[in-house]
């Protein structure tokens, strides 16, 4: 289950039963980069881990009412609270695709 609310008004709440095969909530990575050097070697720069590097992808079946509420929330609010099996996150909505009762929501962890 995933709960999506706004930060300002608690009157907008959407609870979804996520599709565990399509949703990507548990992916995370470290801030690592590799640069080639002039002598043919490489230097690895590891700056650690931050939740703000995460992108959450939620896939679920939704009703028309849930779709309308989510679209309003995304158009109106810049930050959403996401509560899921992976934790609680404050996210910036990046993209929503909702066709034929199928939702694909992409969220960037912001805090």
């Amino acid at each position: 289950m995933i709960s999506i609310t706004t930060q300002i008004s608690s009157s907008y709440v959407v609870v979804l039963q996520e599709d565990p095969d399509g949703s990507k909530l548990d992916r995370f990575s470290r801030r690592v980069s590799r640069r080639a050097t002039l002598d043919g070697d490489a230097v690895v720069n590891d700056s650690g881990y931050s939740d703000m590097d995460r992108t959450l992808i939620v896939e679920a079946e939704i009703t028309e009412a849930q779709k309308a509420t989510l679209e309003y929330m995304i158009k109106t609010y810049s930050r959403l609270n996401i509560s899921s099996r992976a934790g609680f996150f404050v996210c910036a909505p990046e993209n929503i695709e909702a066709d034929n009762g199928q939702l694909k929501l992409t969220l960037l962890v912001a805090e």
Side-chain angles (χ1 to χ4, degrees), residues 30-83:
R30 295 176 63 86
R31 292 180 179 183
V32 178
S33 64
R34 178 177 40 220
R35 295 272 188 202
T37 59
L38 294 175
D39 63 358
D41 204 1
V43 174
V44 174
N45 182 17
D46 185 346
S47 299
Y49 168 78
S50 172
D51 271 333
M52 290 183 65
D53 290 332
R54 294 179 72 173
T55 299
L56 307 179
I57 298 174
V58 177
E59 291 190 10
E61 291 185 19
I62 59 170
T63 64
E64 284 299 316
Q66 289 173 322
K67 176 183 174 184
T69 302
L70 275 173
E71 286 176 347
Y72 175 79
M73 290 166 61
I74 289 171
K75 289 176 183 176
T76 308
Y77 299 97
S78 62
R79 297 287 189 264
L80 301 175
N81 295 329
I82 311 298
S83 179

